């Protein structure tokens, strides 16, 4: 994936509910977050992805990363395993979502892109070289299970990805 999930939703939350956010977070941070939604484009990722064997490229929009992953599995009739800790999310998005009791993984994420390729490491390196934050977050599987793993002090924990509901931004 490229960029960070929830930036567009974070900007919307900050703009719509500025008083509530500034009561809990520093004003300078809030101003910066309000601008997250400006100029979100996926053109650079599309251009770079064209040089790799990308079989699917999706902007992560309504419903956030969880809906995008769910739809990817549905559309390709496949399963997937995703490492929760590798999904790119800014701390400011997490903190803003905590104010409203929202899930950052189900938040409007325009500008972030999910790409499927066998050349994940090479594509990630090319994106990083171009100054675009990116990470390999998981892999496609032969099963129909959509698994999210996370690393804890007790080892690796796995859970099934739930069918996504409405985008968190719809709750404001």
């Amino acid at each position: 994936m490229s960029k960070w999930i929830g930036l567009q939703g974070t900007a919307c939350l900050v703009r719509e509910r500025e008083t509530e956010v500034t009561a809990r977070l520093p004003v300078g941070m809030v101003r910066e977050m309000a601008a997250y939604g400006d100029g979100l484009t996926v053109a650079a990722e599309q251009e770079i992805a064209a040089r790799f064997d990308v079989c699917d490229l999706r902007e992560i929009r309504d419903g956030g990363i969880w809906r995008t992953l769910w739809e990817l599995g549905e559309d390709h009739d496949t399963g997937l395993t995703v490492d929760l800790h590798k999904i790119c999310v800014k701390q400011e998005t997490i903190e803003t979502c905590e104010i409203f009791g929202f899930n950052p993984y189900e938040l409007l994420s325009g500008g972030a892109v999910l790409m499927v390729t066998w050349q994940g490491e090479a594509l990630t390196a090319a994106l990083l070289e171009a100054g675009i934050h990116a990470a390999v977050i998981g892999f496609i599987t032969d099963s129909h299970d959509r698994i999210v793993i996370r690393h804890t002090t007790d080892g690796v924990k796995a859970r099934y990805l739930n069918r996504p509901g409405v985008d968190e931004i719809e709750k404001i």
Side-chain angles (χ1 to χ4, degrees):
M1 72 166 290
S2 70
K3 298 190 187 96
W4 295 269
I5 62 165
L7 292 186
Q8 187 178 19
T10 300
C12 289
L13 285 170
V14 168
R15 291 174 182 163
E16 291 290 321
R17 309 286 283 276
E18 183 179 356
T19 303
E20 292 164 84
V21 178
T22 53
R24 302 263 310 268
L25 299 175
V27 174
M29 178 189 289
V30 173
R31 283 189 191 123
E32 184 179 311
M33 290 186 300
Y36 282 169
D38 298 341
L40 292 174
T41 177
V42 299
E45 287 96 328
Q46 290 172 328
E47 185 178 314
I48 293 167
R51 300 191 320 247
F52 295 87
D53 188 22
V54 173
C55 62
D56 198 318
L57 183 144
R58 297 166 185 245
E59 187 171 6
I60 305 168
R61 301 215 30 93
D62 297 344
I65 186 74
W66 286 164
R67 180 176 292 155
T68 303
L69 288 166
W70 184 271
E71 290 172 353
L72 176 75
E74 291 277 305
D75 292 349
H76 292 280
D77 194 31
T78 190
L80 50 92
T81 299
V82 175
D83 187 332
L84 179 69
H85 299 290
K86 293 186 178 180
I87 295 173
C88 309
V89 58
K90 288 188 175 236
Q91 185 62 33
E92 302 95 272
T93 295
I94 293 169
E95 291 179 28
T96 302
C97 284
E98 285 177 356
I99 293 169
F100 301 102
F102 290 172
N103 183 336
Y105 301 93
E106 295 177 345
L107 186 61
L108 184 62
S109 296
V113 178
L114 182 66
M115 294 164 270
V116 179
T117 179
W118 294 106
Q119 299 172 303
E121 295 296 335
L123 174 56
T124 298
L127 290 164
L128 291 170
E129 186 176 310
I132 301 168
H133 186 81
V136 174
I137 64 168
F139 53 91
I140 301 293
T141 65
D142 290 333
S143 76
H144 287 95
D145 296 334
R146 296 174 190 115
I147 306 292
V148 177
I149 62 170
R150 63 185 177 88
H151 302 273
T152 70
T153 55
D154 297 331
V156 176
K157 305 286 184 185
R159 71 168 182 84
Y160 290 99
L161 181 63
N162 295 324
R163 181 179 295 278
V166 300
D167 190 297
E168 295 287 40
I169 204 72
E170 298 295 325
K171 297 177 183 177
I172 60 168

